[in-house]
Amino acid sequence: MLSVVKVSTKRWKLVPYAGSETAGEIIWDDLDFEGAGTKHQRLYLKKSLRELLEALLEKSESEVGQLSPNTVRNKQRRLWAFASWMAKREIWLLSQLEEFDLIEYVQEIITRRLSEKASIRSKSISSLISFFRDVWIVRESYTAPIRIDPDKCEELLALTGLGSDLKRWSPVQLEVAKPLIQDALQWIETAAPLLNNILAEVHRRVGGTVGLTRKQIYRCTNQAYQEIARSEDYARLRQVLRSSEEDVVAVLRRATKLADGATIVLILFLTGVRISEARSLKSGCVTEERHDTGTTYRYINGIAAKKKGSSRHWVVPEVVVDAIALLEARHKSAGGSLENAPHLFRSFSGNGARARSSTRMTVPSFTTLSKLLVNFAGSSHRALPFHGHIHPHQGRKTFARFVMCRDKRALGALVQHYGHLYGAVLDGAYVGSDIELQEMLNEENRADLAEGLMDMLSGATLGGKGAASLARARKAAEATIKFGGRTSLRTIVDRMIEQGVKLAPCDWGYCLYEQDMSACRGTAAGPNPINRCPSTCSSCQNFAITEKFRGWWEERYRREEEFLQRTGVPEQTKVLVQCRLSESAQVLRSLNETPCDIKTKNQR
């Protein structure tokens, strides 16, 4: 076996991928069947299960090579769960299983899942049946093999119909995601430094307890926490938490979990990594590289999922760098030791607030990290806590949607972070070998492009110098389409996208970008971010606006008009502002005309 080393009959060691942490072990004595059956029955079944698991692993390895430790563990857990079910029914040989036993087992799992989640996917049921299929395929490799071919059991196969269709995770809604990210940013800026200061002080006071008796350690620790409770930093931390809790340890434990949760929110929603990739991050994972375009980007380095342990790096905004730095500082000041390399996210035994110098650190499971995310989202310290379920993969989906969103005004202050990441995508400094994420970005890019084009084509009015060419393109496309309405508009949009139309991000309108007509002197990649501004765009043949942007230009007009009413304004400044006022007036006048009116006037 490539994925497991048999140290002994009772102890199998999982082989980690290169660069990964210790993968763990399979201890066969842990499978005790709760004392059911005779010793002989238990030992004979275990012998059969060991041979079966080895055969299942070798079958998979022959198809894909070395398996990840998680894959091995999942196969082991599924086999053990089925074996425990058999033991409860006094079935001690796989060869004793009948067709109705397999049906009953699958039905029980379906019933349990339905009671817990109100639904189960057809894919999950198919996976259970596939497990039995593999057990049948390798039947010659283990003792007392199964005698039932699941593919010939119609009633078993029919159970897949009880499941629902597979639904892909959708991005978190803006009204949930935006405050969630903002609250995580707020925590990193305010509460995290306070927590670090407090834990550093705790460690300073009680970190050197080696050689003391348990009673002396308790007295020393208790006195330290009492003094901490009277500190200004602790009072401010409780205020941020909106906590009435009197127990200092409980407050620090909660704050520690929220700090980890806030960091996970920022990493998932602002980098697009998977939860397994976030788990692989280690202290010192932040690096800096200068790209071919001359732009310097900050990266985090970890282990890529589904790449057999190969390393990868992801572009990150400064706020993620700050969050990681605070987490590293907390680990450094709190003590504790970690076998192998120090991981960014750590679990330890004890009171949950701090680790003693002798405490053994471990890497938290995916489930633990997911719970930290959900815990932060639903925390009572937030103004708008979210008590629904958020899956870590939704952070990845939300990242793709926000990065590729052309009209980023709805993101508010988050625009600076996602704008930076959008630039990294254009520069080719992001994605790399992550094909799934590239597909997500492409999917969101097309959806956002289609939404913008639909807005321009379906609106009653259209302004800007690019309105005339867009009106002509719409009329030409309509001439080849039989049916009207939104269906034909979608067809027009699809054709424009297939023809390579570019719709560049802009806060004050749409840029149907063509390099030859670019007033900002953009490149083949898109508009020039330095030269682009409302004044430049208003004079550009690529620029168009819809009713969606009327408020922005009206506000600009009012602002310039009020400025000109001031006294003591230099004449040169007045001339500049007057030009801007005229630009806004011209854009608004063009918006009050229909596309057909614009076309007719331009032709005249």
Side-chain angles (χ1 to χ4, degrees):
M1 290 183 291
L2 301 174
S3 311
V4 170
V5 174
K6 290 197 282 187
V7 180
S8 67
T9 305
K10 298 181 179 180
R11 179 172 167 243
W12 292 8
K13 187 175 181 180
L14 277 59
V15 179
Y17 282 145
S20 301
E21 70 274 7
T22 301
E25 298 176 325
I26 297 176
I27 308 298
W28 285 94
D29 283 345
D30 291 343
L31 181 63
D32 60 1
F33 303 115
E34 298 180 356
T38 66
K39 181 179 179 180
H40 172 73
Q41 288 174 324
R42 294 194 298 268
L43 290 177
Y44 197 82
L45 179 55
K46 277 190 183 182
K47 176 180 182 295
S48 178
L49 294 175
R50 282 195 296 269
E51 295 170 348
L52 173 55
L53 181 57
E54 182 174 353
L56 292 174
L57 295 177
E58 288 178 344
K59 175 181 178 296
S60 296
E61 289 173 348
S62 67
E63 298 168 353
V64 300
Q66 182 185 346
L67 306 178
S68 74
N70 288 326
T71 300
V72 175
R73 187 69 76 183
N74 288 338
K75 288 180 179 293
Q76 171 241 318
R77 286 170 179 163
R78 173 162 287 182
L79 181 60
W80 283 21
F82 181 60
S84 298
W85 180 88
M86 289 172 54
K88 289 178 181 178
R89 285 155 183 76
E90 295 296 327
I91 303 173
W92 294 101
L93 296 174
L94 290 163
S95 57
Q96 292 177 335
L97 289 167
E98 300 291 343
E99 186 176 305
F100 64 83
D101 291 318
L102 304 187
I103 295 171
E104 182 183 355
Y105 179 70
V106 175
Q107 285 178 330
E108 283 189 14
I109 291 181
I110 293 173
T111 302
R112 184 171 68 248
R113 294 276 186 89
L114 290 175
S115 64
E116 294 173 352
K117 299 183 178 180
S119 67
I120 184 172
R121 305 298 182 201
S122 297
K123 186 176 180 180
S124 299
I125 302 174
S126 297
S127 177
L128 285 170
I129 298 173
S130 180
F131 163 71
F132 291 129
R133 184 179 295 115
D134 288 341
V135 172
W136 166 257
I137 290 173
V138 300
R139 61 189 179 279
E140 295 181 359
S141 302
Y142 60 95
T143 305
I146 193 171
R147 298 180 295 107
I148 305 157
D149 182 356
D151 287 326
K152 294 182 179 179
C153 180
E154 295 183 2
E155 188 175 350
L156 177 66
L157 298 176
L159 292 176
T160 57
L162 299 177
S164 57
D165 293 335
L166 179 65
K167 293 183 180 179
R168 301 178 66 184
W169 290 110
S170 59
V172 179
Q173 294 180 345
L174 178 63
E175 56 268 25
V176 175
K178 182 180 173 182
L180 176 62
I181 299 170
Q182 288 174 329
D183 286 347
L185 291 169
Q186 183 68 20
W187 179 275
I188 295 302
E189 292 173 0
T190 57
L194 296 174
L195 176 63
N196 283 9
N197 292 341
I198 294 169
L199 291 178
E201 181 63 18
V202 171
H203 183 66
R204 187 185 70 80
R205 291 175 178 272
V206 299
T209 55
V210 177
L212 299 181
T213 65
R214 181 172 296 182
K215 187 174 182 179
Q216 289 172 324
I217 292 174
Y218 174 79
R219 187 183 299 113
C220 178
T221 303
N222 191 45
Q223 182 179 356
Y225 281 133
Q226 288 178 358
E227 294 178 5
I228 290 295
R230 293 191 290 269
S231 69
E232 183 179 345
D233 282 348
Y234 180 75
R236 290 168 60 193
L237 181 63
R238 285 188 64 190
Q239 186 176 7
V240 173
L241 289 171
R242 301 180 182 180
S243 174
S244 58
E245 175 65 61
E246 297 295 334
D247 186 354
V248 178
V249 174
V251 172
L252 296 181
R253 180 168 54 243
R254 181 186 172 207
T256 300
K257 289 182 178 180
L258 289 176
D260 288 346
T263 305
I264 291 170
V265 167
L266 296 181
I267 289 177
L268 295 183
F269 283 79
L270 291 177
T271 68
V273 304
R274 298 177 177 89
I275 190 68
S276 61
E277 293 164 337
R279 180 177 179 265
S280 75
L281 298 176
K282 298 177 181 178
S283 294
C285 62
V286 178
T287 58
E288 187 176 285
E289 290 183 21
R290 188 176 182 85
H291 202 248
D292 294 340
T293 59
T295 305
T296 299
Y297 291 105
R298 307 290 287 277
Y299 290 84
I300 52 173
N301 300 279
I303 305 299
K306 304 180 181 180
K307 294 293 181 181
K308 296 189 178 299
S310 61
S311 60
R312 241 211 82 190
H313 61 193
W314 299 265
V315 174
V316 294
E318 286 298 319
V319 288
V320 173
V321 175
D322 294 340
I324 291 174
L326 284 165
L327 192 53
E328 290 174 338
R330 194 179 85 208
H331 294 329
K332 186 177 180 180
S333 64
S337 60
L338 181 72
E339 293 181 1
N340 306 316
H343 283 70
L344 192 60
F345 295 102
R346 308 178 185 181
S347 294
F348 53 88
S349 58
N351 61 20
R354 76 173 192 90
R356 297 178 181 176
S357 57
S358 59
T359 301
R360 179 180 178 273
M361 298 286 189
T362 58
V363 184
S365 65
F366 304 137
T367 302
T368 299
L369 294 180
S370 299
K371 286 181 178 179
L372 290 171
L373 166 64
V374 174
N375 176 62
F376 184 86
S379 175
S380 59
H381 87 278
R382 299 184 60 217
L384 297 170
F386 179 72
H387 298 297
H389 181 67
I390 295 182
H391 192 277
H393 201 67
Q394 289 180 280
R396 185 168 160 89
K397 286 273 192 175
T398 306
F399 164 84
R401 170 162 292 183
F402 286 0
V403 167
M404 303 312 294
C405 174
R406 287 168 170 75
D407 182 12
K408 290 185 169 63
R409 293 174 301 165
L411 299 181
L414 300 181
V415 67
Q416 59 179 315
H417 310 307
Y418 286 105
H420 165 81
L421 295 166
Y422 181 84
V425 171
L426 293 181
D427 279 353
Y430 202 86
V431 178
S433 60
D434 194 337
I435 298 174
E436 182 190 77
L437 182 57
Q438 182 64 70
E439 290 175 349
M440 285 184 191
L441 291 169
N442 291 341
E443 182 181 324
E444 291 298 337
N445 183 44
R446 184 183 178 94
D448 191 72
L449 176 57
E451 183 180 345
L453 292 173
M454 283 291 290
D455 180 39
M456 287 189 285
L457 293 172
S458 62
T461 58
L462 192 64
K465 291 197 172 184
S469 60
L470 184 64
R472 287 193 294 272
R474 173 177 175 174
K475 189 168 184 179
E478 285 177 337
T480 63
I481 297 173
K482 296 180 180 180
F483 304 102
R486 292 189 69 83
T487 301
S488 60
L489 284 179
R490 290 193 187 95
T491 305
I492 296 173
V493 167
D494 290 340
R495 288 187 181 180
M496 293 178 72
I497 294 175
E498 290 170 2
Q499 292 168 1
V501 65
K502 291 183 179 179
L503 192 64
C506 184
D507 289 340
W508 45 85
Y510 293 112
C511 179
L512 276 165
Y513 184 72
E514 291 185 28
Q515 185 178 356
D516 294 341
M517 296 192 296
S518 171
C520 64
R521 299 180 181 178
T523 64
N528 187 319
I530 298 176
N531 296 336
R532 188 178 54 171
C533 64
S535 295
T536 302
C537 291
S538 65
S539 64
C540 183
Q541 296 296 325
N542 293 331
F543 183 67
I545 68 167
T546 62
E547 285 291 334
K548 183 178 179 179
F549 300 94
R550 180 187 291 275
W552 192 95
W553 286 95
E554 287 179 342
E555 176 59 30
R556 185 179 191 249
Y557 184 91
R558 283 193 296 269
R559 188 169 60 248
E560 308 300 1
E561 194 174 40
E562 291 173 1
F563 185 86
L564 289 174
Q565 302 300 322
R566 299 180 184 178
T567 58
V569 177
E571 191 62 31
Q572 188 175 4
T573 304
K574 281 187 177 182
V575 173
L576 178 62
V577 175
Q578 184 63 54
C579 288
R580 292 169 53 138
L581 185 68
S582 299
E583 293 163 359
S584 299
Q586 178 60 37
V587 170
L588 289 169
R589 278 198 298 271
S590 70
L591 184 59
N592 293 329
E593 300 172 317
T594 66
C596 291
D597 292 335
I598 296 172
K599 178 176 181 290
T600 303
K601 185 170 68 176
N602 286 350
Q603 285 181 337
R604 290 199 297 265

